[in-house]
Amino acid sequence: MISSEHQRTFLERVQTRTARLGIIGLGYVGLPLAVVFAEAGFHVVGIDLDTRKVAALTHGESYIEDIPTARLAPLTHAGRLVATSDFAALRECDAVSICVPTPLRKTGDPDISFIIAATEQIAHYLHPGMLVVLESTTYPGTTTEVILPRLSAHEAALRVGEDFFLCFSPERVDPGRTDWTTVNTPKVMGGVTPQCLQAGLALYGAALQTVVPVSSTEAAEMTKLLENTFRAVNIGMANEMLLMCERLGLDAWEVIEAAATKPFGFMKFTPGPGLGGHCIPIDPLYLSWKLRTLNYRAQFIELASEINTAMPRYWARKVQDALNEVSKAIKGSHVLVLGVAYKKDISDMRESPALDIIHLLQQQGALVSYHDPYVPSFHYERIVMECVADLDAALTSADCVVVATDHSAYDWAAIGRQARLVVDTRRVVRKPALGG
Ligand SMILES: NC(=O)c1ccc[n+]([C@@H]2O[C@H](COP(=O)([O-])OP(=O)(O)OC[C@H]3O[C@@H](n4cnc5c(N)ncnc54)[C@H](O)[C@@H]3O)[C@@H](O)[C@H]2O)c1
């Protein structure tokens, strides 16, 4: 099925590990990918606009928890992985993967400006035999409607599928996870043409254990959105289960644990403080936006988003109610928030619901402090805070302790003994017991 000399050369260079790979965006997704390709024997050039990241990598220092410096340094010292802010490095690359952010605009619409900026840089250096792979999560159609026309407009003489190759392959990395990593998590790949797919499968198959082909870039884009919408909707349902159980005088966690004993047909999701991270709160909105352009309302996504975004307010009210029970006003009470990262055992605070809870409590006059073993200090909009130095003292002196993130480092039994009042969004201090 080899369609051209360019494709043959590309496949040969992959096979002999002489192919050079560029990775644009060296964050949570791009850096682990760069390391994995370098470890597989390829020469990797990481390109990032953030000069601090480039400087750190040039010194062999990692800033991503999943990539220890001890793993990175030998690759950078051997020149197998180099970092730069200069896109001219793409001139020498046989392939380039785009791993830039895809946030939302203030209006809630997709912001694909980072993808466009990266594509325009690639277009300058597009050359025969080059493979371009988009990894950033985005709405179905981005690869063919946004990237392909920009590449083709720049180099009209180069035909996709013959002279250059274009694929979409969604990233599934779950930061902090050690059992499923970049190498062993199956990777879905769609190509603009069968030849594009073949090139994508060859390159990624040389570094990753399993690459799963799908029929188009749109199918690959939609696969990622299905995965994250599945999570957002199920978390939304677990959160609504909490609200419904409360009305019925039931313990939602007990009910969920009991349902989870069913060995088939049920997957456990638990209530919590709300959605966090760069993916689950955002990605489904890329899909609902795209569907709106086609006059279709994505009802599950909208409902889940509504329920999940209301959770920080629910928990702030729980703090108020708990203080009220002991005849205290929220105004002037000392509230200690445990965990500000969006999920356990990492430092990432993007979209963390803990920030909304802190903001809501402060708005009501609470004197809020926080502790997080991974976050020494933070600055978020108008909130500037430093982690309390003495956790034990903070626990015993707080009028109320809010568990926002269930980091494994915490001793929940001890926290339960020390705290006067606990509002536990993760249900870790007093775990639900079946039959109790
Ligand atoms: N973080 C995750 O867990 C995760 C998981 C799966 C998918 N994704 C998706 O992967 C993509 C990247 O996410 P991330 O978490 O790695 O983001 P990140 O913010 O950690 O990293 C993105 C990097 O891209 C750089 N960058 C931005 N614009 C650039 C440009 N024009 N040229 C070069 N560099 C540029 C930034 O400086 C930053 O270092 C997003 O689409 C995200 O939705 C993320």
Side-chain angles (χ1 to χ4, degrees):
M1 217 218 334
I2 292 176
S3 68
S4 65
E5 228 10 74
H6 296 314
Q7 193 189 10
R8 188 184 309 280
T9 308
F10 178 84
L11 295 176
E12 272 168 17
R13 290 178 71 81
V14 168
Q15 213 168 27
T16 54
R17 300 290 192 275
T18 47
R20 239 184 138 79
L21 174 65
I23 299 206
I24 302 182
L26 298 169
Y28 288 91
V29 166
L31 183 59
L33 193 72
V35 166
V36 163
F37 273 106
E39 284 174 344
F42 293 97
H43 271 98
V44 180
V45 185
I47 305 176
D48 203 295
L49 298 178
D50 185 337
T51 49
R52 283 168 311 175
K53 284 184 180 164
V54 170
L57 294 177
T58 303
H59 290 106
E61 288 159 18
S62 175
Y63 42 83
I64 299 274
E65 282 133 20
D66 288 350
I67 302 293
T69 288
R71 185 175 167 196
L72 176 80
L75 299 170
T76 52
H77 291 152
R80 197 153 275 291
L81 170 53
V82 297
T84 177
S85 292
D86 184 359
F87 285 85
L90 291 176
R91 203 175 276 134
E92 310 296 326
C93 290
D94 301 282
V96 54
S97 298
I98 308 172
C99 306
V100 296
T102 42
L104 293 174
R105 297 190 184 283
K106 283 254 177 283
T107 54
D109 289 349
D111 177 1
I112 57 162
S113 59
F114 298 89
I115 293 182
I116 292 175
T119 304
E120 280 169 355
Q121 289 292 347
I122 295 170
H124 278 107
Y125 301 102
L126 189 67
H127 52 77
M130 196 180 201
L131 167 69
V132 180
V133 182
L134 176 61
E135 296 232 1
S136 304
T137 308
T138 182
Y139 59 81
T142 308
T143 308
T144 51
E145 294 164 13
V146 176
I147 298 192
L148 182 56
R150 283 176 172 78
L151 296 182
S152 301
H154 212 267
E155 274 296 347
L158 297 185
R159 286 153 305 168
V160 68
E162 288 189 32
D163 304 315
F164 75 97
F165 312 100
L166 178 58
C167 291
F168 181 83
S169 181
E171 181 52 59
R172 287 169 157 169
V173 69
D174 185 9
R177 208 176 176 120
T178 50
D179 51 352
W180 291 105
T181 62
T182 305
V183 172
N184 69 357
T185 305
K187 192 104 165 69
V188 169
M189 176 82 62
V192 171
T193 70
Q195 291 72 24
C196 295
L197 177 60
Q198 197 182 13
L201 292 176
L203 178 67
Y204 278 67
L208 311 183
Q209 280 177 14
T210 315
V211 189
V212 182
V214 292
S215 64
S216 63
T217 52
E218 287 82 0
E221 289 160 340
M222 190 63 163
T223 303
K224 174 70 186 177
L225 296 180
L226 166 61
E227 291 165 13
N228 284 358
T229 301
F230 175 84
R231 287 189 62 75
V233 167
N234 279 287
I235 293 169
M237 197 179 70
N239 282 330
E240 195 180 28
M241 190 54 66
L242 175 69
L243 308 181
M244 293 193 292
C245 282
E246 190 172 83
R247 295 288 162 101
L248 294 166
L250 293 170
D251 178 347
W253 273 274
E254 182 195 4
V255 172
I256 290 167
E257 288 300 336
T261 61
K262 186 180 176 188
F264 50 85
F266 184 80
M267 187 180 280
K268 184 174 130 184
F269 284 84
T270 48
L275 295 183
H278 183 41
C279 297
I280 313 295
I282 292 171
D283 302 348
L285 301 181
Y286 266 64
L287 181 55
S288 58
W289 174 87
K290 176 70 181 180
L291 269 305
R292 268 205 310 280
T293 68
L294 301 170
N295 269 331
Y296 182 91
R297 213 177 116 230
Q299 298 176 68
F300 271 104
I301 293 175
E302 287 183 9
L303 181 58
S305 176
E306 198 181 302
I307 292 172
N308 290 329
T309 48
M311 291 312 289
R313 194 166 289 280
Y314 168 87
W315 288 110
R317 210 185 58 239
K318 284 279 157 204
V319 175
Q320 190 178 359
D321 293 349
L323 287 166
N324 193 40
E325 281 292 311
V326 294
S327 307
K328 283 193 176 153
I330 191 158
K331 186 167 184 170
S333 284
H334 289 269
V335 180
L336 173 69
V337 174
L338 294 183
V340 289
Y342 82 85
K343 68 172 184 171
K344 68 173 172 183
D345 303 340
I346 60 167
S347 62
D348 193 347
M349 292 180 66
R350 288 180 293 179
E351 312 289 327
S352 175
L355 295 168
D356 292 326
I357 294 174
I358 291 173
H359 176 66
L360 288 165
L361 294 173
Q362 285 183 336
Q363 258 187 343
Q364 293 178 80
L367 306 169
V368 186
S369 56
Y370 86 92
H371 181 273
D372 190 311
Y374 295 90
V375 185
S377 64
F378 71 84
H379 186 170
Y380 171 74
E381 292 186 351
R382 267 180 281 169
I383 310 177
V384 183
M385 293 178 87
E386 274 193 27
C387 179
V388 295
D390 184 340
L391 176 59
D392 288 325
L395 281 168
T396 45
S397 65
D399 296 303
C400 183
V401 172
V402 180
V403 177
T405 311
D406 51 341
H407 290 304
S408 312
Y410 285 126
D411 178 344
W412 299 115
I415 287 167
R417 285 192 300 273
Q418 284 172 286
R420 275 181 249 171
L421 211 55
V422 178
V423 170
D424 184 358
T425 73
R426 305 280 184 173
R427 195 54 181 277
V428 281
V429 176
R430 192 177 58 80
K431 292 197 168 59
L434 290 186

